[in-house]
Amino acid sequence: TVLPWSGQVLLTGGEEYGFPGGTENDAVDDVNLFDPASRTVTRLADSMSRARWYPTVTTMPNGEVLVHGGRDDKPDATPATMPEAYHPTNGWRRLTGATSSDVYGSGRWFYPRSWVAPNGRVFIVTKGDRGMWSLNPSGSGSMTRLGTYAGATTNNTTPAAMFDIGRILLTKAGGQASVIDINGASPRGTPSGSPGPYRSRGAATVLPSRQGRGPGAAGALR
């Protein structure tokens, strides 16, 4: 993610493969900064508290960077169930109160889908159980389930994007899609048009026109 205070790129986690004696898919706790001005990569002395392979990075309104999800292969694919947040002034902050096997266990550690909600918390959808969650990053953090989204589940290959304030286009298994509105007291999902040919491991990118903007879900896909 691009850091709002410097324009540098924060790179978190990864795997050992390529290091002397490293093993494929064994996670690392490394944190690196890419400086586009000097075109250099520098490893931070302050590493994450957990090794993470396939984590998600979300920049929060206060400038902190939330790192959550991912897993470590030592000895088996062990999920990193505790989120943590980074800021250059304070370093890493463990969100022990937001530790959750429901959100990050059972294969849900794979690039968790998350967005900053209008209320400043982090909205997360999980695959399998179709869960909707709110992560409060204040203090030691907390995690609250908000309900279940309708229709098919997401999986590791279905992209999603917030295309308007508090409105998320969520593509799902079998070529289904819906718009989840998180502006109200509780999330509300509305079926959207099909994205057409099913796309595995595609990407969702918001265009400058914010295609799909409007009071209803109609037109979110075309």
Side-chain angles (χ1 to χ4, degrees):
T1 187
V2 177
L3 298 176
W5 58 81
S6 67
Q8 296 175 315
V9 181
L10 185 74
L11 309 168
T12 60
E15 64 169 333
E16 287 184 346
Y17 199 54
F19 291 159
T23 304
E24 185 176 9
N25 290 334
D26 266 354
V28 296
D29 59 3
D30 296 4
V31 182
N32 293 275
L33 282 178
F34 169 67
D35 188 334
S38 61
R39 300 183 182 181
T40 57
V41 177
T42 304
R43 180 177 177 180
L44 296 184
D46 195 6
S47 299
M48 295 181 292
S49 65
R50 297 287 186 275
R52 298 178 189 268
W53 180 222
Y54 302 114
T56 289
V57 180
T58 304
T59 303
M60 295 184 290
N62 66 355
E64 282 189 308
V65 174
L66 173 71
V67 182
H68 59 146
R71 58 106 168 105
D72 188 350
D73 258 7
K74 300 174 181 177
D76 298 308
T78 304
T81 59
M82 183 193 68
E84 49 192 314
Y86 173 78
H87 193 276
T89 302
N90 303 316
W92 288 97
R93 182 167 61 90
R94 298 182 180 185
L95 303 182
T96 55
T99 302
S100 175
S101 296
D102 290 330
V103 177
Y104 304 116
S106 302
R108 297 175 190 132
W109 43 260
F110 195 116
Y111 292 135
R113 284 149 176 78
S114 64
W115 302 267
V116 176
N119 63 7
R121 299 184 180 186
V122 178
F123 178 75
I124 305 169
V125 295
T126 55
K127 70 170 190 173
D129 68 340
R130 298 179 290 119
M132 298 187 294
W133 298 81
S134 176
L135 189 160
N136 183 349
S138 298
S140 61
S142 62
M143 190 79 74
T144 304
R145 180 154 184 155
L146 302 178
T148 302
Y149 61 84
T153 183
T154 63
N155 58 44
N156 298 338
T157 70
T158 53
M162 180 179 284
F163 63 92
D164 199 357
I165 296 173
R167 300 185 70 212
I168 299 162
L169 176 64
L170 183 67
T171 64
K172 295 178 283 189
Q176 296 186 32
S178 64
V179 171
I180 299 180
D181 191 325
I182 59 175
N183 289 292
S186 58
R188 180 172 57 87
T190 305
S192 182
S194 170
Y198 180 65
R199 298 175 186 270
S200 177
R201 303 184 188 277
T205 303
V206 179
L207 301 177
S209 62
R210 290 192 293 180
Q211 183 67 35
R213 179 181 171 90
L221 290 166
R222 67 181 178 93

